[in-house]
Amino acid sequence: MRLGQKLIGFVLAVAAALQGARADTELAYPPLLKPAVQEAKAARLAADLLSRYHYKAVPLDDALSGKVFDQYLKSLDPEKLYFLQSDIDRLAVDRNRLDDAILTEDLRAPFAIFNLYERRAVERMAFARSLLAKGFDFERNETLMIDRKDQPWPATEADSLELWRKRVKNDWLRLKLAGQDDAAIRKVLDKRYDNAARRLGKISSADAFQAFMNAYTTAIEPHTNYLGPRAAENFDIAMRLSLVGIGAVLTEIDGYITIRELVAGGPASVSGQLKVGDRIVGVGQGAAGPMEDVVGWRLDDTVALIRGTMASTVRLDVLPADGGPDASIKTVVLVRNTITVQDSAAKAKVYSVTTGEGKRLVGVITLPSFYEDVAAMQKGDKDYRSAARDVARLLLDLKAQKVEAVLMDLRNNGGGSLREAVELTGLFLGKVPVVQTRDAKGDITVAKNVDTGLAWSGPLGVLINRGSASASEIFAAAVQDYGRGLVIGEPSFGKGTVQTVASLDRIARNATPVFGDLKMTVAQFFRVNGGTTQLRGVTPDIRYPASGDEAQFGESSYGNALPWTRIKAADYASVGDISTQLPRLLAWHESRVRRDRDYQGLLEDVAKAQDLRKNNVISLNEGVRRKERAAQEKRLAAMLGGAETGTTPGTESALADDGLQFNERKLDKDLAARKTRDAVNDVLLNEAVNILSDSVALREGKSQMSASASATRPVVVKALLGKGSSDQ
């Protein structure tokens, strides 16, 4: 029997049976999707490129087909909520034939899988809506598993419906805990499930094709993606930075639109109210427009809702990344804007640290990205903006301020220009090799700084976190390998690969774009010591507690990321050795933070977030959930210095949907106060400044650490901009 015929017959049989068996429910099944001719040709062309030019060249054979099959099901049904085990068993007939589907330009089999997914999803939404009329008994001791990725698919239809009953019950209970009455809850949830079903009907064959192609590309390596014509256009807009929006890179995780990256200088980053991992559950237009529930929405539809005209207002209802299932939803108001190079420019502050011998000045340079105004440079503008140029100016200003040490703050710096990373390294190391690159052929090139001279030879520190990636990791790794300074913070992201974008239409010489683009990995970065920043990232010399879930964010969160490996070291020589300082610096650091109330509060926050992630079940008993919320409020009050948060039922500020106005209790105000205090009093930055001050003391042969951070904070003396030295 020809490829996919059995599978196609199975899907059609299921469709016919369901139509007949469920006619009384009036399910609005979407029409069966069929592949277009140009999609099959685009798949074949992409396969040719990936097999020949990808850094990890993998032949498209039965082995890869099995991985694509698994990745495809995972992308469609990551939480095992829609398909039944019997569906998976039937679909597996083509597990090792998806390679043939691409090579023979016959995509009926992957489309049949997608069509079955759509039908199952429509059924689940219909069942969810049917439960709302009766309501639920919240005195029963039931639990719901939060993360089902590692669980099997439901064995029977009854098992699937029981799973969905508990999910709907939890959705209802969340709103009930927010103080809503039954009528309001029914309205919110009915619209949520109905909208989800309606969106399924709007899915096109291009959407299904892109889902399958990304299952293929990411089965090879996580940073390789297929971009259909619509996605390719959006990618081009983003690369030109002409998109008016909030400045956030979004992804879909477990049904939630999740912030993957904050663009330096964008409204989201500047607000200080959002961070990587936050989940967007509602989007509202203007100051008072109705809030649209986007739970379960498609990524591109949510992005389209967030975009808008310049200077317009958008409101986001957000579930914080470090919050549990009952975390308070906060509303963030942002004004859309176009992001420019100036918005992400380097800035500096001078901190005064109290020591046993008096005051010590430490300069902190915050660099949001490794930017470069390429257009101005190509026009011959001698004063074009770039990260290295701006930091060089700031270092001159800091010298004039007579600082004794410099800290480069690269937290949440996702990278940028490789040339800027090399030249910035040169400001602290001179004309030296900075990073090695190996391409798909195995050829290795060494990037050496030849343009910038040494601008700072004094004590140096680099502050990083999980959001520090790519060019940030290159800089931090070079500082560490040369023994030039201290690296402080969390292990970095671990992205040590290089991608390029190929236009399939350009290769095929199509006058009209119909094939889309292919973003694929073509090279890998290596440190001068021969190791790589890939997967493991840069491990700090003095490590802070992880603020997020490393299993969810960072290169190691991808199951098929390229492995860590090593090549021959470059020809380089260390310029220093901080290893002799580390024992004393660590001892002083630990002694100081033990007495730092804010730092200890941060440790408690981290521990609590980790406990929430480990506990993979949630109670569906209202009394149990209210006790858990009361305990959270009590703990929050203690962290806020004894402020009364109250334990009134319904303290959560819940999602405002369909124009319904929900209560905002004192707990939400206290949470906002805590966030504001943390924004002003950057605990981790302050401690990094103190550590660097200690390093200066050791270099001077002194034996007394900087004053206890709980008693004396570094005091900002002056803030500097990237160009000139105007006060800010």
Side-chain angles (χ1 to χ4, degrees):
M1 187 173 288
R2 292 184 61 191
L3 168 68
Q5 290 286 38
K6 289 184 178 180
L7 175 58
I8 296 165
F10 162 63
V11 173
L12 292 176
V14 168
L18 290 173
Q19 274 306 51
R22 304 190 178 203
D24 58 325
T25 61
E26 299 182 356
L27 293 183
Y29 286 113
L32 294 176
L33 300 174
K34 298 179 181 180
V37 173
Q38 69 268 19
E39 291 165 353
K41 293 185 179 299
R44 176 60 189 265
L45 179 55
D48 290 342
L49 290 176
L50 290 169
S51 300
R52 296 172 61 188
Y53 300 112
H54 195 280
Y55 182 74
K56 180 186 175 184
V58 179
L60 182 54
D61 54 16
D62 288 356
L64 181 56
S65 177
K67 295 179 180 178
V68 174
F69 179 83
D70 292 337
Q71 187 68 20
Y72 194 26
L73 294 179
K74 180 180 178 181
S75 66
L76 293 176
D77 191 5
E79 292 291 316
K80 315 286 183 64
L81 297 173
Y82 299 105
F83 290 122
L84 301 176
Q85 183 60 53
S86 58
D87 294 333
I88 304 303
D89 295 339
R90 295 285 190 92
L91 297 175
V93 67
D94 278 329
R95 175 183 178 84
N96 296 329
R97 299 177 185 172
L98 295 180
D99 55 327
D100 301 318
I102 295 174
L103 295 174
T104 62
E105 300 184 14
D106 182 358
L107 299 180
R108 287 179 294 170
F111 268 72
I113 295 174
F114 195 93
N115 284 325
L116 180 58
Y117 154 73
E118 280 199 304
R119 302 183 81 79
R120 291 294 189 226
V122 167
E123 295 164 25
R124 304 302 177 244
M125 293 304 110
F127 176 71
R129 295 182 71 192
S130 74
L131 297 174
L132 301 178
K134 184 178 179 180
F136 299 92
D137 176 7
F138 293 107
E139 294 183 0
R140 293 176 59 185
N141 289 320
E142 294 184 306
T143 59
L144 173 69
M145 184 173 292
I146 301 171
D147 185 349
R148 282 186 40 82
K149 287 192 289 291
D150 297 327
Q151 300 301 308
W153 272 277
T156 66
E157 180 79 2
D159 291 337
S160 179
L161 297 184
E162 174 64 6
L163 170 62
W164 273 91
R165 182 188 68 81
K166 289 185 175 182
R167 287 179 60 84
V168 177
K169 183 176 182 178
N170 183 57
D171 288 346
W172 187 300
L173 181 54
R174 279 186 54 83
L175 296 177
K176 186 178 178 67
L177 292 173
Q180 302 314 298
D181 60 34
D182 290 349
I185 293 173
R186 283 192 180 92
K187 182 177 180 181
V188 170
L189 295 183
D190 187 66
K191 183 174 181 180
R192 176 182 296 182
Y193 304 142
D194 182 46
N195 283 344
R198 291 177 183 275
R199 284 192 296 273
L200 288 167
K202 297 179 180 179
I203 293 177
S204 66
S205 72
D207 299 321
F209 176 65
Q210 180 157 312
F212 170 64
M213 284 301 294
N214 272 310
Y216 169 31
T217 58
T218 55
I220 299 173
E221 187 266 340
H223 298 292
T224 297
N225 304 103
Y226 169 76
L227 306 171
R230 178 183 176 186
E233 181 182 1
N234 289 340
F235 182 80
D236 290 341
I237 292 172
M239 291 301 291
R240 292 195 302 268
L241 288 181
S242 61
L243 173 65
V244 176
I246 65 170
V249 179
L250 306 177
T251 188
E252 191 275 328
I253 299 178
D254 301 340
Y256 287 101
I257 303 303
T258 305
I259 296 177
R260 190 181 72 187
E261 178 184 338
L262 294 176
V263 179
S269 176
V270 171
S271 75
Q273 300 182 72
L274 296 169
K275 61 179 179 295
V276 172
D278 283 350
R279 295 154 289 174
I280 298 173
V281 297
V283 180
Q285 307 299 331
M291 191 69 73
E292 187 77 35
D293 182 354
V294 297
V295 176
W297 274 39
R298 287 175 30 162
L299 177 61
D300 55 354
D301 287 340
T302 305
V303 169
L305 200 61
I306 293 174
R307 289 177 184 167
T309 58
M310 171 74 88
S312 61
T313 298
V314 62
R315 303 187 334 277
L316 306 178
D317 272 343
V318 176
L319 275 172
D322 52 3
D326 282 341
S328 292
I329 292 174
K330 64 178 181 180
T331 299
V332 178
V333 180
L334 301 172
V335 177
R336 300 178 177 101
N337 199 357
T338 301
I339 304 161
T340 65
V341 171
Q342 287 78 6
D343 293 325
S344 60
K347 296 177 176 62
K349 292 180 180 178
V350 179
Y351 286 71
S352 176
V353 183
T354 300
T355 71
E357 292 80 22
K359 302 286 186 181
R360 180 174 290 122
L361 299 182
V362 175
V364 176
I365 297 178
T366 301
L367 186 65
S369 69
F370 286 80
Y371 54 88
E372 182 180 45
D373 192 343
V374 177
M377 178 181 64
Q378 291 175 342
K379 291 178 182 178
D381 184 352
K382 295 181 180 180
D383 294 323
Y384 73 89
R385 301 295 297 271
S386 76
R389 285 174 164 229
D390 285 351
V391 170
R393 296 186 188 101
L394 290 171
L395 288 172
L396 287 174
D397 287 320
L398 293 175
K399 284 182 179 179
Q401 291 282 308
K402 300 189 182 303
V403 300
E404 298 179 61
V406 170
L407 177 70
M408 290 295 303
D409 185 355
L410 301 184
R411 289 175 299 173
N412 301 315
N413 183 323
S417 166
L418 173 61
R419 176 168 50 209
E420 290 304 309
V422 171
E423 293 189 359
L424 185 74
T425 304
L427 296 177
F428 301 95
L429 280 161
K431 295 181 165 91
V432 298
V434 175
V435 65
Q436 305 183 82
T437 305
R438 182 170 69 182
D439 64 19
K441 297 179 181 179
D443 296 333
I444 298 172
T445 58
V446 179
K448 180 178 180 180
N449 171 51
V450 295
D451 295 321
T452 55
L454 191 65
W456 177 259
S457 59
L460 174 66
V462 184
L463 182 58
I464 60 175
N465 65 3
R466 195 65 168 172
S468 305
S470 195
S472 293
E473 295 175 292
I474 290 172
F475 175 79
V479 169
Q480 193 173 63
D481 290 346
Y482 279 96
R484 176 64 183 85
L486 284 165
V487 178
I488 305 166
E490 302 175 54
S492 59
F493 189 93
K495 183 180 182 298
T497 55
V498 184
Q499 285 73 40
T500 189
V501 177
S503 169
L504 299 181
D505 290 295
R506 189 172 302 166
I507 293 172
R509 299 181 180 179
N510 290 334
T512 302
V514 293
F515 284 177
D517 292 354
L518 186 66
K519 179 168 73 73
M520 63 179 177
T521 298
V522 295
Q524 183 173 352
F525 290 129
F526 289 86
R527 302 165 67 140
V528 291
N529 70 1
T532 179
T533 56
Q534 171 63 20
L535 193 62
R536 298 181 186 177
V538 178
T539 301
D541 302 306
I542 295 181
R543 188 165 176 168
Y544 284 164
S547 58
D549 185 359
E550 295 185 4
Q552 288 289 340
F553 297 99
E555 193 75 6
S556 60
S557 67
Y558 300 114
N560 63 334
L562 292 178
W564 187 94
T565 187
R566 177 179 288 278
I567 62 173
K568 183 180 178 181
D571 183 13
Y572 82 105
S574 298
V575 298
D577 182 8
I578 64 168
S579 61
T580 57
Q581 285 191 356
L582 279 179
R584 184 68 66 86
L585 290 175
L586 283 167
W588 286 354
H589 161 65
E590 291 169 0
S591 174
R592 183 168 45 240
V593 298
R594 275 197 299 268
R595 300 191 298 273
D596 186 337
R597 176 181 171 186
D598 287 339
Y599 196 96
Q600 292 303 312
L602 175 65
L603 294 180
E604 291 178 13
D605 288 348
V606 170
K608 186 64 176 178
Q610 291 174 344
D611 289 342
L612 288 171
R613 288 191 291 267
K614 290 178 182 177
N615 184 15
N616 195 30
V617 295
I618 186 171
S619 174
L620 298 178
N621 180 288
E622 182 179 353
V624 172
R625 289 276 278 273
R626 290 200 184 278
K627 288 180 181 179
E628 291 173 350
R629 289 188 55 77
Q632 292 174 5
E633 294 172 26
K634 183 177 180 181
R635 174 174 166 271
L636 178 62
M639 289 191 301
L640 291 170
E644 295 181 2
T645 61
T647 56
T648 305
T651 52
E652 179 178 4
S653 174
L655 174 64
D657 188 88
D658 304 300
L660 295 174
Q661 299 302 312
F662 291 172
N663 296 329
E664 292 189 14
R665 306 285 186 174
K666 192 173 187 300
L667 173 61
D668 302 291
K669 296 179 181 179
D670 291 336
L671 283 168
R674 173 68 186 269
K675 294 289 185 182
T676 301
R677 188 187 69 174
D678 287 347
V680 174
N681 181 23
D682 190 333
V683 179
L684 300 180
L685 175 60
N686 289 338
E687 178 54 23
V689 169
N690 282 322
I691 291 170
L692 205 52
S693 175
D694 292 341
S695 177
V696 175
L698 290 179
R699 285 169 61 113
E700 296 174 349
K702 297 174 182 178
S703 59
Q704 187 170 3
M705 70 175 181
S706 299
S708 171
S710 61
T712 304
R713 287 290 183 195
V715 177
V716 177
V717 175
K718 189 175 184 180
L720 307 170
L721 296 175
K723 195 170 186 178
S725 57
S726 302
D727 289 341
Q728 178 71 10

mmCIF file of all heavy atoms in Angstrom, residues 109-128:
data_model
loop_
_atom_site.group_PDB
_atom_site.id
_atom_site.type_symbol
_atom_site.label_atom_id
_atom_site.label_comp_id
_atom_site.label_asym_id
_atom_site.label_seq_id
_atom_site.Cartn_x
_atom_site.Cartn_y
_atom_site.Cartn_z
ATOM 1 N N ALA A 109 0.541 12.028 4.706
ATOM 2 C CA ALA A 109 0.660 11.382 6.023
ATOM 3 C C ALA A 109 0.801 12.396 7.159
ATOM 4 O O ALA A 109 0.049 12.340 8.140
ATOM 5 C CB ALA A 109 1.827 10.398 6.020
ATOM 6 N N PRO A 110 1.758 13.344 7.095
ATOM 7 C CA PRO A 110 1.834 14.332 8.188
ATOM 8 C C PRO A 110 0.584 15.196 8.301
ATOM 9 O O PRO A 110 0.208 15.605 9.402
ATOM 10 C CB PRO A 110 3.073 15.169 7.838
ATOM 11 C CG PRO A 110 3.370 14.885 6.412
ATOM 12 C CD PRO A 110 2.894 13.496 6.154
ATOM 13 N N PHE A 111 -0.090 15.455 7.193
ATOM 14 C CA PHE A 111 -1.328 16.234 7.260
ATOM 15 C C PHE A 111 -2.448 15.421 7.905
ATOM 16 O O PHE A 111 -3.304 15.977 8.598
ATOM 17 C CB PHE A 111 -1.736 16.713 5.864
ATOM 18 C CG PHE A 111 -1.189 18.078 5.523
ATOM 19 C CD1 PHE A 111 0.161 18.254 5.250
ATOM 20 C CD2 PHE A 111 -2.003 19.189 5.505
ATOM 21 C CE1 PHE A 111 0.679 19.498 4.950
ATOM 22 C CE2 PHE A 111 -1.504 20.454 5.213
ATOM 23 C CZ PHE A 111 -0.149 20.610 4.936
ATOM 24 N N ALA A 112 -2.448 14.108 7.704
ATOM 25 C CA ALA A 112 -3.453 13.273 8.347
ATOM 26 C C ALA A 112 -3.282 13.297 9.861
ATOM 27 O O ALA A 112 -4.263 13.311 10.615
ATOM 28 C CB ALA A 112 -3.351 11.836 7.827
ATOM 29 N N ILE A 113 -2.040 13.312 10.324
ATOM 30 C CA ILE A 113 -1.770 13.416 11.761
ATOM 31 C C ILE A 113 -2.325 14.729 12.298
ATOM 32 O O ILE A 113 -2.982 14.777 13.347
ATOM 33 C CB ILE A 113 -0.257 13.311 12.030
ATOM 34 C CG1 ILE A 113 0.256 11.929 11.647
ATOM 35 C CG2 ILE A 113 0.050 13.607 13.498
ATOM 36 C CD1 ILE A 113 1.769 11.782 11.754
ATOM 37 N N PHE A 114 -2.080 15.813 11.574
ATOM 38 C CA PHE A 114 -2.548 17.124 12.013
ATOM 39 C C PHE A 114 -4.076 17.176 12.031
ATOM 40 O O PHE A 114 -4.676 17.732 12.958
ATOM 41 C CB PHE A 114 -1.997 18.221 11.102
ATOM 42 C CG PHE A 114 -2.128 19.604 11.672
ATOM 43 C CD1 PHE A 114 -1.102 20.165 12.401
ATOM 44 C CD2 PHE A 114 -3.294 20.339 11.505
ATOM 45 C CE1 PHE A 114 -1.228 21.439 12.945
ATOM 46 C CE2 PHE A 114 -3.429 21.609 12.049
ATOM 47 C CZ PHE A 114 -2.394 22.157 12.776
ATOM 48 N N ASN A 115 -4.709 16.619 11.032
ATOM 49 C CA ASN A 115 -6.172 16.630 10.981
ATOM 50 C C ASN A 115 -6.780 15.879 12.158
ATOM 51 O O ASN A 115 -7.788 16.316 12.729
ATOM 52 C CB ASN A 115 -6.647 16.010 9.664
ATOM 53 C CG ASN A 115 -6.483 16.963 8.482
ATOM 54 O OD1 ASN A 115 -6.648 18.169 8.625
ATOM 55 N ND2 ASN A 115 -6.152 16.421 7.319
ATOM 56 N N LEU A 116 -6.171 14.759 12.534
ATOM 57 C CA LEU A 116 -6.693 14.014 13.677
ATOM 58 C C LEU A 116 -6.519 14.816 14.967
ATOM 59 O O LEU A 116 -7.409 14.831 15.828
ATOM 60 C CB LEU A 116 -5.989 12.665 13.795
ATOM 61 C CG LEU A 116 -6.452 11.783 14.961
ATOM 62 C CD1 LEU A 116 -7.947 11.507 14.875
ATOM 63 C CD2 LEU A 116 -5.649 10.493 15.020
ATOM 64 N N TYR A 117 -5.374 15.483 15.093
ATOM 65 C CA TYR A 117 -5.152 16.345 16.269
ATOM 66 C C TYR A 117 -6.250 17.410 16.376
ATOM 67 O O TYR A 117 -6.818 17.641 17.449
ATOM 68 C CB TYR A 117 -3.781 17.005 16.182
ATOM 69 C CG TYR A 117 -3.696 18.311 16.932
ATOM 70 C CD1 TYR A 117 -3.661 18.330 18.326
ATOM 71 C CD2 TYR A 117 -3.685 19.530 16.256
ATOM 72 C CE1 TYR A 117 -3.622 19.535 19.018
ATOM 73 C CE2 TYR A 117 -3.646 20.729 16.932
ATOM 74 C CZ TYR A 117 -3.619 20.727 18.316
ATOM 75 O OH TYR A 117 -3.593 21.909 18.997
ATOM 76 N N GLU A 118 -6.576 18.055 15.266
ATOM 77 C CA GLU A 118 -7.603 19.099 15.288
ATOM 78 C C GLU A 118 -8.946 18.555 15.753
ATOM 79 O O GLU A 118 -9.652 19.184 16.552
ATOM 80 C CB GLU A 118 -7.751 19.714 13.898
ATOM 81 C CG GLU A 118 -6.701 20.740 13.544
ATOM 82 C CD GLU A 118 -7.150 21.614 12.392
ATOM 83 O OE1 GLU A 118 -7.487 21.079 11.321
ATOM 84 O OE2 GLU A 118 -7.197 22.843 12.576
ATOM 85 N N ARG A 119 -9.311 17.376 15.272
ATOM 86 C CA ARG A 119 -10.604 16.806 15.624
ATOM 87 C C ARG A 119 -10.654 16.438 17.099
ATOM 88 O O ARG A 119 -11.656 16.655 17.779
ATOM 89 C CB ARG A 119 -10.904 15.605 14.732
ATOM 90 C CG ARG A 119 -10.893 15.947 13.256
ATOM 91 C CD ARG A 119 -11.262 14.763 12.389
ATOM 92 N NE ARG A 119 -12.696 14.574 12.329
ATOM 93 C CZ ARG A 119 -13.519 15.281 11.556
ATOM 94 N NH1 ARG A 119 -13.050 16.261 10.804
ATOM 95 N NH2 ARG A 119 -14.814 15.022 11.561
ATOM 96 N N ARG A 120 -9.569 15.868 17.601
ATOM 97 C CA ARG A 120 -9.530 15.534 19.021
ATOM 98 C C ARG A 120 -9.625 16.811 19.867
ATOM 99 O O ARG A 120 -10.299 16.837 20.899
ATOM 100 C CB ARG A 120 -8.233 14.788 19.352
ATOM 101 C CG ARG A 120 -8.143 13.385 18.776
ATOM 102 C CD ARG A 120 -9.154 12.472 19.393
ATOM 103 N NE ARG A 120 -8.963 11.089 19.017
ATOM 104 C CZ ARG A 120 -9.928 10.282 18.629
ATOM 105 N NH1 ARG A 120 -11.177 10.731 18.541
ATOM 106 N NH2 ARG A 120 -9.668 9.026 18.314
ATOM 107 N N ALA A 121 -8.956 17.867 19.439
ATOM 108 C CA ALA A 121 -8.981 19.116 20.202
ATOM 109 C C ALA A 121 -10.387 19.707 20.236
ATOM 110 O O ALA A 121 -10.839 20.210 21.276
ATOM 111 C CB ALA A 121 -7.992 20.117 19.602
ATOM 112 N N VAL A 122 -11.105 19.651 19.120
ATOM 113 C CA VAL A 122 -12.477 20.163 19.084
ATOM 114 C C VAL A 122 -13.355 19.376 20.054
ATOM 115 O O VAL A 122 -14.179 19.942 20.789
ATOM 116 C CB VAL A 122 -13.039 20.084 17.655
ATOM 117 C CG1 VAL A 122 -14.552 20.309 17.656
ATOM 118 C CG2 VAL A 122 -12.371 21.124 16.765
ATOM 119 N N GLU A 123 -13.177 18.074 20.091
ATOM 120 C CA GLU A 123 -13.960 17.246 21.012
ATOM 121 C C GLU A 123 -13.691 17.611 22.470
ATOM 122 O O GLU A 123 -14.615 17.682 23.286
ATOM 123 C CB GLU A 123 -13.626 15.771 20.793
ATOM 124 C CG GLU A 123 -14.031 15.238 19.438
ATOM 125 C CD GLU A 123 -13.342 13.921 19.119
ATOM 126 O OE1 GLU A 123 -12.957 13.206 20.069
ATOM 127 O OE2 GLU A 123 -13.189 13.624 17.934
ATOM 128 N N ARG A 124 -12.414 17.812 22.792
ATOM 129 C CA ARG A 124 -12.071 18.132 24.189
ATOM 130 C C ARG A 124 -12.658 19.482 24.597
ATOM 131 O O ARG A 124 -13.120 19.659 25.730
ATOM 132 C CB ARG A 124 -10.547 18.139 24.377
ATOM 133 C CG ARG A 124 -9.849 16.847 23.973
ATOM 134 C CD ARG A 124 -10.368 15.626 24.725
ATOM 135 N NE ARG A 124 -9.716 14.411 24.251
ATOM 136 C CZ ARG A 124 -10.350 13.412 23.641
ATOM 137 N NH1 ARG A 124 -11.664 13.484 23.440
ATOM 138 N NH2 ARG A 124 -9.688 12.354 23.228
ATOM 139 N N MET A 125 -12.638 20.466 23.683
ATOM 140 C CA MET A 125 -13.214 21.767 24.009
ATOM 141 C C MET A 125 -14.728 21.662 24.202
ATOM 142 O O MET A 125 -15.301 22.298 25.087
ATOM 143 C CB MET A 125 -12.899 22.784 22.897
ATOM 144 C CG MET A 125 -11.430 23.150 22.754
ATOM 145 S SD MET A 125 -10.700 23.782 24.276
ATOM 146 C CE MET A 125 -9.615 22.402 24.698
ATOM 147 N N ALA A 126 -15.363 20.844 23.386
ATOM 148 C CA ALA A 126 -16.811 20.663 23.527
ATOM 149 C C ALA A 126 -17.142 20.005 24.865
ATOM 150 O O ALA A 126 -18.105 20.391 25.547
ATOM 151 C CB ALA A 126 -17.335 19.809 22.372
ATOM 152 N N PHE A 127 -16.365 19.015 25.242
ATOM 153 C CA PHE A 127 -16.592 18.353 26.533
ATOM 154 C C PHE A 127 -16.371 19.333 27.678
ATOM 155 O O PHE A 127 -17.143 19.364 28.655
ATOM 156 C CB PHE A 127 -15.666 17.149 26.676
ATOM 157 C CG PHE A 127 -15.757 16.474 28.015
ATOM 158 C CD1 PHE A 127 -16.877 15.735 28.370
ATOM 159 C CD2 PHE A 127 -14.719 16.590 28.938
ATOM 160 C CE1 PHE A 127 -16.970 15.125 29.616
ATOM 161 C CE2 PHE A 127 -14.800 15.984 30.182
ATOM 162 C CZ PHE A 127 -15.932 15.247 30.524
ATOM 163 N N ALA A 128 -15.332 20.157 27.587
ATOM 164 C CA ALA A 128 -15.053 21.136 28.638
ATOM 165 C C ALA A 128 -16.238 22.085 28.815
ATOM 166 O O ALA A 128 -16.652 22.384 29.945
ATOM 167 C CB ALA A 128 -13.784 21.920 28.301
#
